Amino acid sequence: DTVDTLVVFPHDAKGNVAPMRQLATPQAAFGIAVDEQHQELFITTQATSSVVVYRKEASGKEAPLRELHGEATQLADPHGIAVDAKNNLLFVNNSGYSYSWDTAGRPIPASGKFMPPAITVYPLNASGNTPPLRVIEDPKTQLNWTAEMYVDPEEKELYVANDAGNSILVFRETDSGDAALLRVLKGPKTGLKDPMGVFVDVKNGESWVANIGNHTAKVYSRTLQTERS
């Protein structure tokens, strides 16, 4: 099987240094999230529309602890992933392309289909063909080729880097269905261009956004007020 590689460096690494360790992951791995409480590493994989979970310190060809995969999961080209260990929730955003699998775990030819972009929510320890607890999708959400996410467990808010929408979307953790946004950062003054990453610095009250479209990292207030748009 074709594999990708996750490389891990020391926190203060710089220059031409070798990684501390490497982990073989499934093909087309995209999003990464860490559950520090349980010392687990979560990775989304586009090729198989799945979430694989490893020990945080896993390396080499170590097998995952568990995998979330199957039609009941409603995973469809998953990208961003966020963990809320405090409330035992797992959030995954999906671009919407999926296909069916045979009993041997191979994709079935001509079974591909497009689904609406969506955020699927699971119990943190979900595995196998587990259906989501709820799904956030449809027009009010403004989801459009989403990338990385960040969850703020204290405020119970979910931040989404909305690549094709040139925006940062903020939902309530409890949202479901065609949910109206709690707030959105968007518009020419923001300098957002194809944002791929988002991180909230709770201690300093800042929100960081990485933009692939103009190769910048921009910093905003934690609350991402709509008047900035």
Side-chain angles (χ1 to χ4, degrees), residues 136-153:
I136 303 171
E137 64 180 347
D138 292 328
K140 288 181 184 177
T141 67
Q142 299 185 36
L143 296 170
N144 190 357
W145 202 256
T146 48
E148 290 292 353
M149 297 192 293
Y150 179 89
V151 65
D152 181 344

Side-chain angles (χ1 to χ4, degrees), residues 17-29:
V17 298
M20 297 169 59
R21 63 182 181 276
Q22 300 184 50
L23 174 66
T25 65
Q27 184 182 12

Side-chain angles (χ1 to χ4, degrees), residues 160-178:
V160 182
N162 199 37
D163 181 358
N166 292 319
S167 58
I168 300 296
L169 313 177
V170 186
F171 298 91
R172 300 170 184 85
E173 278 199 62
T174 54
D175 280 342
S176 180
D178 193 8

Side-chain angles (χ1 to χ4, degrees), residues 23-221:
L23 174 66
T25 65
Q27 184 182 12
F30 188 94
I32 303 173
V34 174
D35 176 357
E36 294 289 356
Q37 181 175 325
H38 300 99
Q39 291 291 286
E40 293 182 340
L41 174 69
F42 293 71
I43 301 176
T44 57
T45 60
Q46 295 176 262
T48 55
S49 287
S50 63
V51 174
V52 288
V53 186
Y54 296 89
R55 290 187 314 113
K56 182 186 174 184
E57 301 296 325
S59 63
K61 295 183 179 180
E62 184 172 329
L65 298 171
R66 61 186 180 275
E67 181 176 6
L68 183 63
H69 172 68
E71 291 192 43
T73 67
Q74 298 185 44
L75 291 169
D77 192 12
H79 283 71
I81 186 168
V83 166
D84 181 351
K86 180 179 179 180
N87 297 297
N88 290 307
L89 293 171
L90 174 67
F91 298 84
V92 183
N93 64 49
N94 303 269
S95 293
Y97 179 71
S98 69
Y99 40 87
S100 300
W101 301 80
D102 62 22
T103 55
R106 296 169 300 196
I108 299 173
S111 66
K113 59 183 177 181
F114 285 97
M115 302 166 63
I119 298 172
T120 45
V121 188
Y122 310 89
L124 186 56
N125 63 354
S127 64
N129 196 19
T130 301
L133 298 169
R134 59 184 182 276
V135 180
I136 303 171
E137 64 180 347
D138 292 328
K140 288 181 184 177
T141 67
Q142 299 185 36
L143 296 170
N144 190 357
W145 202 256
T146 48
E148 290 292 353
M149 297 192 293
Y150 179 89
V151 65
D152 181 344
E154 299 302 324
E155 297 295 329
K156 295 187 177 180
E157 295 177 347
L158 180 67
Y159 293 70
V160 182
N162 199 37
D163 181 358
N166 292 319
S167 58
I168 300 296
L169 313 177
V170 186
F171 298 91
R172 300 170 184 85
E173 278 199 62
T174 54
D175 280 342
S176 180
D178 193 8
L181 290 160
L182 183 60
R183 56 187 181 275
V184 60
L185 182 69
K186 183 179 181 179
K189 292 181 181 179
T190 66
L192 293 173
K193 179 62 176 174
D194 304 314
M196 295 292 288
V198 60
F199 179 82
V200 178
D201 180 349
V202 175
K203 180 179 179 181
N204 295 301
E206 296 178 341
S207 298
W208 287 71
V209 180
N211 298 275
I212 195 173
N214 54 19
H215 308 292
T216 62
K218 296 185 180 291
V219 187
Y220 310 89
S221 69

